[in-house]
Amino acid sequence: HSHLCLSGQCCQSARGLCLLQLSSRGALCTTSCLTALTKQDSSFLVDCHSVLLQCVACSCQQVCLQASWALGNLTETLSLSPLLSPLYPPLLEAVAAGLREKEKVGCNLVRASGNILRTITEEVLRTCVSSVEKICVHLCKSTSSGSMKLRWNACYACHGALSNAAFVSSCASSVDQLLAALCSAVVECKNFKVRTNAALAVATPLLYTPDQFVRVWCAVCRALLLSEQLTDFSEYKLSVLLRSKLCWAWFHLLSVLTQEALDAVEEACDRPALAGQHISDYVGSLLREERAGEGGTDPRLGEVRRALDAVQSLGTGGYLELQCVLKNVTDLT
């Protein structure tokens, strides 16, 4: 207890120095960054929030960089404290402004934006629509440009946003933009880690419009084919991981398939039979892992079976290629 009190006093002193001396601000940001991860005290987090917003707008690049790093940790902690959601609007405004800065600052703020969008409520969203739209435009751009770390962080931030039902239902235009950018990344990016994160993100929503479903379905099937292409054998394990996540995405899409989406995808998309062997291999590997284990059902196999039950109840109509793939998978399971 005495250690925590001393820590709080040190942080309060540091905050005071920060407002007076430029040279102290970078050190404070580092202190705040480390403390924000472990300190759940609301008053501290509010003070930390106030100071970091000033520092992230500082003209000194080093201070701005350290503040953006600290904001990533602060937003992670705030996401665990729903009562502090009123702090989000000024944070989103600062993030939207800061994303225009140099790449290292932007990379940290992309992480912060993902933390916020993952937990923001519909009520708070209504108060900061403009900032959220600006951030989403930047996330779309960042999935395909800049360093691989920036792209990876952007895909992860998109995953956070798309996992939030309030965001998906309130920001339809932004959801369209994010899914389109992620579909491009999962097919076109040369980096396997970025593509893997994009694959996880496109398969996050529990509800898609027919147009969104067609876009994501076709991208996943295309990405499965392209995952075979290797320019460096040292990336083989990464390509295997990518295929695994893409197959998981494929079954996720089946689990949320609607008749409207099925009709649309049958008309507009590449045939899934092209990716059928990868799907069968994925299910076969899960079954082998389960048999080699010590009992219990692999949760991924549970997801496969739930997806098969969902699509069986719907039926696949005249979509013969999909029927063929599903038959092979059902025979395996």
Side-chain angles (χ1 to χ4, degrees):
H1 176 75
S2 60
H3 174 73
L4 289 175
C5 290
L6 179 60
S7 173
Q9 291 169 5
C10 290
C11 290
Q12 289 170 5
S13 299
R15 288 197 295 272
L17 285 171
C18 171
L19 300 179
L20 296 174
Q21 300 176 16
L22 180 63
S23 60
S24 302
R25 296 187 184 186
L28 170 71
C29 291
T30 301
T31 301
S32 300
C33 176
L34 298 174
T35 311
L37 282 174
T38 57
K39 195 170 176 65
Q40 297 290 326
D41 180 75
S42 296
S43 61
F44 169 80
L45 293 175
V46 171
D47 287 346
C48 189
H49 163 270
S50 176
V51 171
L52 290 178
L53 287 184
Q54 296 178 56
C55 289
V56 81
C58 181
S59 58
C60 174
Q61 185 65 25
Q62 185 59 29
V63 171
C64 185
L65 177 60
Q66 289 176 284
S68 68
W69 180 50
L71 275 178
N73 283 358
L74 175 65
T75 53
E76 193 171 319
T77 302
L78 289 178
S79 68
L80 304 175
S81 308
L83 294 178
L84 295 176
S85 59
L87 299 180
Y88 280 176
L91 268 175
L92 285 167
E93 186 177 347
V95 168
L99 284 171
R100 296 191 297 267
E101 298 296 326
K102 292 183 179 179
E103 186 169 291
K104 287 186 178 180
V105 173
C107 194
N108 291 333
L109 292 180
V110 159
R111 175 184 166 230
S113 67
N115 290 337
I116 298 172
L117 294 178
R118 187 175 67 247
T119 55
I120 194 169
T121 64
E122 192 171 345
E123 181 182 6
V124 175
L125 269 170
R126 286 196 293 267
T127 68
C128 47
V129 174
S130 178
S131 295
V132 169
E133 289 177 347
K134 289 176 183 176
I135 287 171
C136 288
V137 167
H138 188 87
L139 290 179
C140 291
K141 178 182 176 182
S142 298
T143 60
S144 59
S145 63
S147 69
M148 292 305 164
K149 181 179 180 181
L150 176 62
R151 299 184 195 194
W152 188 94
N153 276 356
C155 291
Y156 188 78
C158 292
H159 179 277
L162 294 172
S163 67
N164 184 346
F167 172 83
V168 172
S169 62
S170 303
C171 305
S173 177
S174 292
V175 170
D176 279 343
Q177 294 171 22
L178 293 182
L179 286 174
L182 289 165
C183 285
S184 295
V186 81
V187 171
E188 298 172 7
C189 186
K190 302 299 182 184
N191 183 282
F192 280 104
K193 292 182 179 179
V194 172
R195 276 194 275 170
T196 299
N197 253 22
L200 290 171
V202 294
T204 302
L206 298 177
L207 181 65
Y208 300 83
T209 67
D211 286 345
Q212 289 170 351
F213 190 95
V214 168
R215 184 190 293 271
V216 174
W217 177 269
C218 293
V220 167
C221 290
R222 180 68 177 156
L224 271 168
L225 285 177
L226 294 176
S227 68
E228 300 173 345
Q229 298 178 5
L230 278 176
T231 56
D232 185 348
F233 189 73
S234 65
E235 294 184 318
Y236 175 75
K237 288 186 178 180
L238 293 176
S239 72
V240 172
L241 177 61
L242 172 62
R243 275 193 293 279
S244 173
K245 299 306 180 185
L246 286 167
C247 290
W248 176 86
W250 196 85
F251 281 107
H252 169 76
L253 291 169
L254 282 185
S255 72
V256 298
L257 182 65
T258 63
Q259 187 62 56
E260 266 189 305
L262 178 60
D263 293 341
V265 82
E266 183 177 359
E267 292 179 8
C269 194
D270 293 337
R271 297 185 302 172
L274 295 174
Q277 188 58 51
H278 291 308
I279 300 298
S280 297
D281 289 346
Y282 171 72
V283 175
S285 69
L286 294 183
L287 289 168
R288 286 191 296 273
E289 288 177 19
E290 183 181 51
R291 290 165 187 152
E294 297 180 358
T297 301
D298 189 317
R300 293 172 296 176
L301 270 176
E303 292 170 358
V304 169
R305 290 176 177 127
R306 283 192 295 274
L308 292 176
D309 289 342
V311 77
Q312 185 176 10
S313 66
L314 185 65
T316 56
Y319 202 176
L320 299 179
E321 291 82 9
L322 179 58
Q323 289 180 21
C324 181
V325 177
L326 292 176
K327 183 180 184 305
N328 290 339
V329 171
T330 303
D331 290 344
L332 284 171
T333 57

